[in-house]
């Protein structure tokens, strides 16, 4: 009867059937809701396309981040002007904010890291995960205090 709050590594249904009894009173962080109930229509459309192609729903959130990474890279290649100039592409990633399917990316100029990223909170009741809320980052927080963590990888 203890509530659980699980980190991003648990974001998905891929592991739930391995624990026996269905979970309840459980919360997990994620990038998106993979279950088709995300309030962002583009996320649900991508989930639907995945199901059409592969014949099943996604069971985790990482595929969405892969799609997001391709969006950021594609925008950077377009802005760099040369798909073979790695240095120009890297600079374009640093210099060009990108509005991806999951979130807006603006890399900190000193740390090559996008610190301000929303987190989706999923709720699990009776073994079924569903969208609960999106927690936006604090706009006035000094995210440079996170640099040692980001640099540690």
């Amino acid at each position: 009867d203890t509530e659980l709050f699980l980190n991003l590594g648990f974001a998905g249904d891929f592991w739930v059937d391995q624990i026996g009894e269905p979970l309840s009173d459980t919360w997990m962080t994620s990038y998106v809701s993979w279950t088709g109930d995300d309030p962002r229509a583009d996320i649900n459309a991508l989930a639907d396309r995945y199901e059409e192609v592969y014949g099943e729903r996604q069971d985790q959130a990482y595929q969405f981040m892969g799609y997001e990474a391709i969006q950021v890279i594609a925008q950077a290649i377009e802005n760099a002007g040369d798909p073979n100039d790695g240095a120009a592409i890297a600079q374009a990633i640093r210099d060009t904010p990108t509005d991806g399917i999951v979130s807006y990316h603006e890399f900190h100029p000193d740390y090559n890291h996008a610190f301000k990223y929303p987190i989706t909170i999923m709720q699990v009741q009776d073994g079924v995960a569903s969208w609960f809320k999106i927690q936006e980052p604090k706009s006035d927080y000094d995210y440079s205090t996170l640099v040692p963590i980001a640099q540690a990888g």
Side-chain angles (χ1 to χ4, degrees):
D1 292 331
T2 301
E3 287 193 18
L4 296 175
F5 192 85
L6 307 173
N7 71 7
L8 187 57
F10 290 94
D13 296 278
F14 60 94
W15 58 274
V16 174
D17 63 347
Q18 299 175 28
I19 61 169
E21 293 184 27
L23 285 176
S24 284
D25 302 320
T26 301
W27 309 86
M28 61 180 84
T29 60
S30 179
Y31 298 112
V32 301
S33 173
W34 61 92
T35 63
D37 62 350
D38 198 287
R40 296 163 287 192
D42 288 346
I43 298 296
N44 296 326
L46 183 57
D48 290 342
R49 286 198 322 255
Y50 182 96
E51 186 173 14
E52 288 171 16
V53 171
Y54 297 103
E56 62 187 12
R57 293 297 280 185
Q58 297 183 52
D59 61 359
Q60 56 184 317
Y62 295 107
Q63 295 92 329
F64 295 94
M65 293 311 294
Y67 189 90
E68 178 101 335
I70 296 300
Q71 289 181 305
V72 170
I73 292 167
Q75 183 66 53
I77 290 171
E78 183 178 320
N79 292 345
D82 180 356
N84 298 311
D85 187 345
I89 294 168
Q91 192 62 48
I93 289 173
R94 284 186 212 97
D95 293 345
T96 309
T98 305
D99 197 12
I101 192 171
V102 176
S103 184
Y104 176 79
H105 292 268
E106 185 171 9
F107 288 83
H108 192 286
D110 297 328
Y111 307 113
N112 293 328
H113 199 284
F115 289 110
K116 298 180 181 180
Y117 209 80
I119 297 294
T120 297
I121 308 296
M122 300 291 289
Q123 180 180 22
V124 181
Q125 290 295 337
D126 298 320
V128 178
S130 60
W131 180 86
F132 178 71
K133 72 181 271 185
I134 295 174
Q135 180 64 50
E136 295 290 338
K138 294 181 179 181
S139 60
D140 61 346
Y141 185 80
D142 179 10
Y143 287 89
S144 65
T145 61
L146 299 175
V147 169
I149 296 168
Q151 290 175 337

